[in-house]
Amino acid sequence: MKIIIFGDVHGNLVALEELFRLEKLETDFFICHGDVVNYGPWTNDCIQYLKDIPNLTLLKGNHENYFINGEYDGTHVVAQTFFQHCYANFDSSLINEIQKYGEQTQLDDYTIQHTINKQYIFADTDISELVIDSNYMIGHSHQQFFREKDTFKIYNTGSLGQNRQFINQSCYLKYDTVTKAVELKSYLHNINKVINQMKDENYPQLCIDYYLSKKTL
């Protein structure tokens, strides 16, 4: 079986639709590790789009929990501004959909969840004190990488909708259950469509400037 693992869509329907255009015919199953919502202008549409995919497991990220709880618990002013705008435009009838998302799933000897111990784990994060007892496939940090800790492997899918380095690059993993091979994959999407939609929906300038400040490929 060929399985796609992705996450951190963050309301970017342009990037999400491109993933399924590229991979749907050659993929047996999809796993999303969370953060479908917030930031981008299509939170509601992304939830609806994924709801209708039959061969898909959906997991919660921290942003699903923010929407379920109705509040962002951080202090970062940009993130707070995004949440206030996106949550105000969230279709509350979809709350039941994101409440159904799971916490983690197992794929062969990999545990898949949004992150480990609620930490942002980057390619250069000191993980010497990180205690794990499994191989992991995670997201959360919006940075794609492969690392090893003791005898265990850690893959980060990177972000599908809001890449931390190149805002128009969508990153994900492809796993082959026969060969056990993991591919770190990516493609480019049209970020201008996202930014123009944000402008049309009167996002705060702080949010638009955040996207405009990011590099592109």
Side-chain angles (χ1 to χ4, degrees):
M1 289 178 65
K2 301 292 176 60
I3 299 176
I4 296 296
I5 304 95
F6 70 97
D8 296 289
V9 178
H10 285 302
N12 189 336
L13 186 64
V14 174
L16 182 61
E17 289 179 332
E18 184 66 4
L19 173 70
F20 282 86
R21 186 189 72 79
L22 291 170
E23 295 286 6
K24 188 173 184 178
L25 295 179
E26 298 182 358
T27 302
D28 300 292
F29 203 82
F30 293 85
I31 299 172
C32 176
H33 60 59
D35 279 8
V36 173
V37 306
N38 207 15
Y39 291 121
W42 295 288
T43 279
N44 299 326
D45 303 84
C46 288
I47 296 170
Q48 290 280 18
Y49 184 91
L50 293 172
K51 179 173 69 71
D52 296 325
I53 304 292
N55 54 335
L56 169 67
T57 290
L58 289 160
L59 305 176
K60 289 188 188 79
N62 53 305
H63 286 266
E64 274 77 39
N65 287 322
Y66 297 153
F67 274 48
I68 291 167
N69 297 329
E71 63 177 351
Y72 167 70
D73 62 6
T75 58
H76 193 285
V77 65
V78 176
Q80 184 70 61
T81 304
F82 269 111
F83 175 80
Q84 290 170 355
H85 178 87
C86 294
Y87 188 69
N89 291 279
F90 175 55
D91 181 352
S92 60
S93 69
L94 295 172
I95 195 75
N96 290 335
E97 289 301 322
I98 61 175
Q99 284 176 329
K100 288 187 237 179
Y101 292 6
E103 299 296 333
Q104 65 174 214
T105 192
Q106 202 71 23
L107 176 59
D108 289 342
D109 58 353
Y110 287 92
T111 297
I112 302 176
Q113 59 190 47
H114 192 61
T115 190
I116 303 169
N117 300 333
K118 299 183 179 180
Q119 296 181 35
Y120 284 95
I121 301 174
F122 298 97
D124 60 353
T125 298
D126 180 3
I127 58 172
S128 59
E129 301 300 319
L130 184 68
V131 178
I132 59 173
D133 57 1
S134 172
N135 298 313
Y136 278 93
M137 292 179 179
I138 59 171
H140 193 48
S141 66
H142 298 199
Q143 188 181 84
Q144 189 182 68
F145 61 78
F146 166 68
R147 300 186 66 178
E148 292 182 282
K149 173 67 166 66
D150 301 325
T151 61
F152 299 111
K153 301 173 182 177
I154 302 174
Y155 283 93
N156 194 306
T157 66
S159 173
L160 201 75
Q162 197 197 50
N163 187 308
R164 200 172 285 271
Q165 183 177 14
F166 299 110
I167 193 67
N168 66 328
Q169 184 182 40
S170 297
C171 298
Y172 62 106
L173 303 179
K174 191 167 193 174
Y175 180 72
D176 188 317
T177 60
V178 177
T179 66
K180 311 303 180 187
V182 181
E183 292 182 73
L184 281 69
K185 302 197 68 177
S186 67
Y187 56 89
L188 302 182
H189 67 273
N190 189 343
I191 194 62
N192 289 328
K193 286 186 177 180
V194 181
I195 294 170
N196 288 337
Q197 184 67 24
M198 291 168 68
K199 291 177 179 177
D200 288 345
E201 294 187 10
N202 297 313
Y203 266 69
Q205 192 61 44
L206 182 67
C207 299
I208 295 171
D209 288 344
Y210 175 82
Y211 274 66
L212 290 172
S213 71
K214 297 298 180 183
K215 296 177 182 178
T216 59
L217 284 174

